[in-house]
Amino acid sequence: MEIWDAFNKSADAFSPNILRVSFMPSLPVLVLNSGSSSIKFSAYEAGNCERRKLHEGAVDGIGTDLGTFWIKDAEGKKLIDQSPALPNRAVAFKLVADALHSGQFPPPAAIGHRMVSGGPTVKENQLITPALIDEMESYTAFAPLHTPIAVYIMRQALLLFPGVPNFVCLDTYFHRTMPEEAWHMPIPEEYTAIGVRRYGYHGLSYESIVHQLAEQTPQRLIVAHLGNGASITAIRNGKCVDTSMGLTPTGGIISGTRTGDIDPGVLLFVLRRIAAETPNTADAADKLEAFASKKAGLLGVSGVTNDMRGLREAIAQGDPRARMAVTLFTRTVAKWIGSFMAVLGGLDMLVFTGGIGENDIASRAEICAGLGPLGIVLDPTRNNVRGEALISAESSFVAVRVIPPAEDLMIVNHVVRLLQK
Ligand code: AMP
C-alpha cells in the first residue's frame, strides 16, 4: 500500500460531512511531537485531500552538552545538521522556532501537538488555549514522563508563533470507543469517580494503521505497537474495543524501561522497602515511579539496555539475562494477542508496527511461534523484511502484516478537520 495514497484517500474519508461543504486551500501545517529528551517536528502542505511533506527535523539529547539538531527536506537532504549544547528544553525549542522563523521554511498556518494524556476531562482533539494547557498540566500524573515537556512546548508555541492556531491531538482519543467493561478497573468506586480507569495510549499510531488499511480494515483486527513503549489494541470494525495500557503508559506489556502489568503486591513490597529509608512521601512516590517506569522492563531484566538492537547483540554473544528479557517481552505480547482474540471472538488480521514491530524480525517470529493453533502462522521468508509487508504463510487463517505508523499524518488529518470546523 502506498502510504501517501492511503492518507490522501483517508483524508477524504476522515471528515466527509465537513469536506462536502467547506473547501480548504493547501496550508503548511507543523506537527510537534515532544519526548522526554527530544522534540521531533515535521511540516506538511495540507488541504482537503492533499498531504505533501515539506520538511522534518528533531532536536535530541536535551539535558546534554552534545545534542543533535537537524532538518531534512522531503527528499531527505539535510538542510541543517548541528551538534549544539542542549542544557534544557528552552534552548532546544528556541533552536526549532528560530530555524522555522528564518525564512528558509514556509511559516506554519496551523500547529498540531501530539499529547499523550489529557486526563479525565480533556478527551477531544481541540484548539489549544492557555486554560486548556493548565487543565492538561493538572493531570501530569497520568503521563508523568510525557506531560511536562508537552505542555511547555505548547506554551512556547503560543508565544513564539503568535496568531497561529495550535491544536492538541491526543493519544487517548482513539480509545474513547472502548466499552465500560474494558476501561473500568477493579477498584473502589471513589477512585473510578475521579478518573482512575484504563485510557490506553499510542492512539495516533493505531488510528494511522486503520486509516492506512482504509477499506481493507477487517472486522476483527489486533495491532501490536512495539517500540520503546509497547502496547496492543483490539479493534472491531475500525474502532477500539480494548487496549493493554491502562491509567498510564506504564501498564500492559513489558517495554523498554517499564514493568507493564504486574502484581500490585510487588509495588507494595518495593514501596515498603523504599518507605523504610525515605521519610518524605513525595520522594518515596518518585522512587517507586522510577522503579516501575525507568529501571524495569527490558532494561531491568537484562541489566544491559532497553534497546532491542542491543539486546539482540547481547543474545548473540550468549547473554542469558538479555535472552530472558526478550523472552518475557515476546511471551507477554503473545499472551495479549491470545486474550484479545477471546475479546474479539477470533481474528482476521494482526498488524505489527513501531520500531520493534517493523524491524525486529526475530521478535515477530518468537511472538508468533506458539500461535499456530490460533490460526497465526508466519512465512519465514516473507517475515525476513523490515518495513511494510504481508508476512503470514498461505496456510495462515489470520493475515499478518507489518505497517509503519504515521502519527504525524494522523495529526495533520485532525488539524485539517479542526480548521474546517
Ligand atoms: P520506537 O520507540 O518505535 O522508535 O522503537 C524503538 C525500538 O525499536 C528500540 O528497541 C530499537 O532497538 C528497536 N529497533 C529499531 N530498529 C531496529 C532494528 N533494525 N532491529 C531491531 N530492533 C530495532
Side-chain angles (χ1 to χ4, degrees):
M1 184 192 343
E2 174 53 57
I3 187 170
W4 294 104
D5 288 352
F7 265 86
N8 288 337
K9 264 195 247 141
S10 73
D12 207 13
F14 192 62
S15 48
N17 298 328
I18 298 156
L19 291 173
R20 251 184 256 126
V21 294
S22 64
F23 170 77
M24 195 184 101
S26 284
L27 300 167
V29 175
L30 174 66
V31 174
L32 291 172
N33 184 348
S34 47
S36 50
S37 64
S38 68
I39 304 166
K40 294 183 186 151
F41 57 98
S42 57
Y44 293 81
E45 188 78 22
N48 279 0
C49 298
E50 184 200 2
R51 302 286 179 266
R52 185 171 66 84
K53 189 185 261 187
L54 299 171
H55 52 264
E56 64 177 323
V59 261
D60 207 346
I62 299 173
T64 68
D65 290 341
L66 191 63
T68 55
F69 172 43
W70 57 268
I71 300 184
K72 287 183 201 163
D73 67 14
E75 279 74 48
K77 186 171 146 230
K78 281 233 166 122
L79 306 174
I80 292 181
D81 191 4
Q82 300 172 0
S83 307
L86 297 171
N88 52 46
R89 58 199 178 195
V91 172
F93 190 61
K94 186 147 187 324
L95 276 177
V96 177
D98 286 351
L100 295 180
H101 280 128
S102 66
Q104 204 181 345
F105 306 99
I111 303 177
H113 295 253
R114 176 184 173 215
M115 183 68 179
V116 170
S117 169
T121 57
V122 182
K123 300 181 207 160
E124 299 289 325
N125 300 329
Q126 59 191 285
L127 187 70
I128 295 174
T129 62
L132 184 79
I133 301 176
D134 292 347
E135 188 177 346
M136 292 188 290
E137 191 174 33
S138 72
Y139 301 121
T140 297
F142 290 73
L145 302 184
H146 302 90
T147 297
I149 187 159
V151 294
Y152 173 82
I153 301 291
M154 286 177 201
R155 289 198 177 102
Q156 287 302 107
L158 292 186
L159 272 180
L160 299 176
F161 296 90
V164 177
N166 281 252
F167 298 95
V168 62
C169 297
L170 294 154
D171 262 319
T172 50
Y173 180 72
F174 182 70
H175 302 297
R176 71 195 181 286
T177 53
M178 270 188 288
E180 182 169 351
E181 57 268 30
W183 62 252
H184 203 128
M185 291 189 165
I187 53 174
E189 185 55 30
E190 64 192 282
Y191 287 95
T192 307
I194 57 169
V196 179
R197 49 164 283 179
R198 182 184 304 284
Y199 289 93
Y201 299 95
H202 290 137
L204 290 157
S205 166
Y206 293 123
E207 274 187 278
S208 81
I209 300 299
V210 170
H211 277 269
Q212 289 179 73
L213 285 170
E215 65 275 8
Q216 293 174 47
T217 305
Q219 200 190 4
R220 299 165 302 179
L221 169 67
I222 291 176
V223 182
H225 179 110
L226 309 179
N228 199 29
S231 70
I232 178 164
T233 289
I235 298 167
R236 189 191 302 285
N237 297 325
K239 295 202 163 90
C240 172
V241 292
D242 208 341
T243 191
S244 60
M245 282 179 170
L247 176 73
T248 71
T250 308
I253 292 168
I254 164 179
S255 59
T257 58
R258 306 175 199 157
T259 54
D261 285 0
I262 193 161
D263 171 5
V266 174
L267 296 181
L268 294 172
F269 176 86
V270 174
L271 179 60
R272 288 199 175 99
R273 283 183 66 126
I274 292 171
E277 57 197 36
T278 317
N280 182 300
T281 312
D283 290 346
D286 285 348
K287 284 187 184 171
L288 187 63
E289 184 179 325
F291 164 85
S293 297
K294 296 181 184 161
K295 297 182 180 172
L298 297 172
L299 173 66
V301 177
S302 70
V304 179
T305 175
N306 60 315
D307 188 283
M308 186 56 80
R309 280 167 292 200
L311 289 167
R312 290 289 173 197
E313 280 166 25
I315 290 170
Q317 283 162 19
D319 184 328
R321 289 176 64 191
R323 180 61 267 175
M324 181 51 66
V326 174
T327 299
L328 292 187
F329 172 74
T330 54
R331 185 169 185 271
T332 309
V333 177
K335 282 169 77 171
W336 278 94
I337 290 171
S339 67
F340 279 168
M341 287 180 76
V343 167
L344 290 168
L347 187 64
D348 303 306
M349 188 188 290
L350 169 65
V351 172
F352 286 104
T353 192
I356 297 170
E358 279 167 65
N359 298 301
D360 196 43
I361 296 158
S363 281
R364 295 192 304 248
E366 288 167 25
I367 290 165
C368 295
L371 299 180
L374 300 183
I376 298 172
V377 184
L378 291 195
D379 177 317
T381 310
R382 287 182 181 173
N383 186 40
N384 197 17
V385 291
R386 298 202 158 89
E388 173 145 8
L390 175 75
I391 58 171
S392 42
E394 291 299 328
S395 62
S396 184
F397 179 77
V398 175
V400 186
R401 299 178 65 153
V402 179
I403 303 179
E407 288 118 319
D408 285 7
L409 280 166
M410 211 59 241
I411 291 173
V412 172
N413 274 0
H414 284 300
V415 168
V416 169
R417 175 176 62 93
L418 291 163
L419 277 173
Q420 288 169 322
K421 260 189 174 176

